[in-house]
Amino acid sequence: MTITGEIRGSRPRRTPPKLRVTSLEVLCVVLVVALVFQDWLVSALDAPVLRTASTVFVAVCVQALPFLVLGVLISGAIAAFVPASALRRLLPRRTALAVPIAGVAGVALPGCECASVPVARRLMQQGVAPAVALSFLLAAPAVNPIVLVSTAVAFRDAPLMVPARFLGSLLTAVVMGWLWVRFGKAEWIAERALRRLPDHDGTSRWVVFAETARHDLVEAGGFLVLGGVFAAAFNVLVPAAWMETLGAQVVLGILVMALLAVVLALCSEADAFVAVSMSALPLLPRLVFLVVGPAVDVKLIALQAGTFGRSFAARFAPVTFVVAIASALAAGAVFL
């Protein structure tokens, strides 16, 4: 009796599961509230300014969403079925020559900025020189066909924006790679990012495909929505006179658009539709916006700090910002 009591007493008590509120529950509550107060919401939101904002928001999201979905599907397929070692075998042994080749390779390997960071880390872990991996990191989200086609669709009336963006982004990637060859140090990169890993970890390729596509879609989709909200707010809240003043001062417009690209952190597959909505600005500041955004923004700085270390991000991001602006200006001088 005593032994049984001791055994029973030793059993851990089951604690009731904690109630967790996820985004799904929040969405359901919001939908229910919207249905209950539908008439009041319709009358409250029936204002010309809000109608204009909602039109701009829907237009940006609807135009960009097909390119975003296609991009994340291709990115997932590459992560699952194309080994990173394939690019390493195609690169020259001399790093200075491999840098521009890695930049051009971004044309064939589309993906968003979020996907390029783990791919670059994987390349480093498979023995690819950091300068080459970083060139690919900067080029892949900016010069791939998905981004170029979305830019062409957005800027139908300014077709030269496509080659200008391509040249500016590719130049940014190559210059940053060469700068790393000359000045970069391996100790600036966290050891975990350089640690060698096997090519296969036993995970199903289809699982990798689904998880990569899901992750990229959730990440990039959220930024697309934020970009649409910004474009809508920008069109209805910023007075046209301000934009005309900014458009008349090219230098100030370039700096403002470069800083906006860093702060907004838009997906490269959707940022052209936000840029084209700023019709009061000249093409050159908008080109700077499109070149700087995929190269350096707040989410990329956070991802790079978490992946390669804060010491790396503190050096790499500011230099990339300056190089991207200079590259965009050079490309604009050629095409615009």
Side-chain angles (χ1 to χ4, degrees):
M1 190 71 175
T2 306
I3 297 176
T4 305
E6 291 178 356
I7 295 176
R8 289 178 178 175
S10 64
R11 292 178 181 176
R13 294 183 179 180
R14 292 185 177 179
T15 58
K18 295 181 180 180
L19 181 62
R20 297 181 58 187
V21 179
T22 65
S23 58
L24 181 60
E25 285 78 13
V26 174
L27 176 61
C28 292
V29 172
V30 171
L31 290 177
V32 170
V33 172
L35 289 174
V36 172
F37 298 97
Q38 181 178 3
D39 294 336
W40 180 83
L41 288 174
V42 169
S43 60
L45 298 177
D46 188 17
V49 173
L50 293 177
R51 287 199 299 267
T52 302
S54 62
T55 300
V56 174
F57 172 78
V58 172
V60 170
C61 293
V62 169
Q63 289 184 87
L65 189 59
F67 299 101
L68 183 62
V69 172
L70 180 59
V72 299
L73 290 177
I74 296 177
S75 175
I78 290 169
F81 303 110
V82 179
S85 57
L87 180 59
R88 183 185 60 187
R89 291 194 297 266
L90 296 175
L91 294 173
R93 293 186 178 181
R94 189 175 177 182
T95 305
L97 295 178
V99 163
I101 294 178
V104 175
V107 175
L109 299 176
C112 69
E113 301 93 314
C114 302
S116 66
V117 174
V119 172
R121 178 183 59 184
R122 182 67 170 179
L123 292 173
M124 292 183 188
Q125 291 171 338
Q126 293 200 359
V128 174
V132 178
L134 294 176
S135 296
F136 176 82
L137 181 151
L138 295 174
V143 302
N144 67 72
I146 306 299
V147 171
L148 297 179
V149 171
S150 67
T151 304
V153 172
F155 287 91
R156 294 186 183 93
D157 298 330
L160 290 180
M161 283 290 284
V162 177
R165 182 177 192 178
F166 176 84
L167 178 60
S169 298
L170 183 60
L171 190 59
T172 300
V174 173
V175 170
M176 285 302 299
W178 283 338
L179 287 176
W180 187 271
V181 172
R182 178 66 180 85
F183 302 105
K185 297 180 181 179
E187 55 264 29
W188 292 346
I189 302 176
E191 186 274 336
R192 62 181 178 274
L194 300 175
R195 190 183 304 131
R196 295 295 184 89
L197 293 177
D199 285 339
H200 303 287
D201 57 3
T203 306
S204 168
R205 295 183 184 273
W206 288 106
V207 171
V208 174
F209 168 77
E211 287 299 313
T212 303
R214 180 193 62 81
H215 173 269
D216 288 354
L217 182 61
V218 171
E219 292 287 336
F223 291 113
L224 170 60
V225 172
L226 290 177
V229 171
F230 166 77
F234 192 89
N235 276 270
V236 299
L237 297 180
V238 178
W242 290 13
M243 297 305 299
E244 292 174 359
T245 302
L246 190 62
Q249 301 180 20
V250 179
V251 175
L252 181 60
I254 289 171
L255 293 177
V256 170
M257 292 301 289
L259 291 174
L260 277 178
V262 175
V263 174
L264 292 180
L266 301 178
C267 176
S268 61
E269 294 155 1
D271 58 0
F273 297 98
V274 176
V276 76
S277 67
M278 305 175 187
S279 55
L281 290 174
L283 290 177
L284 186 58
R286 288 188 279 176
L287 174 62
V288 171
F289 178 84
L290 295 178
V291 173
V292 171
V296 54
D297 58 35
V298 289
K299 75 174 184 300
L300 271 177
I301 294 172
L303 286 171
Q304 291 170 4
T307 303
F308 303 116
R310 287 178 292 180
S311 177
F312 169 85
R315 293 174 171 86
F316 191 74
V319 178
T320 304
F321 180 75
V322 175
V323 171
I325 294 177
S327 299
L329 295 178
V334 174
F335 291 102
L336 301 182

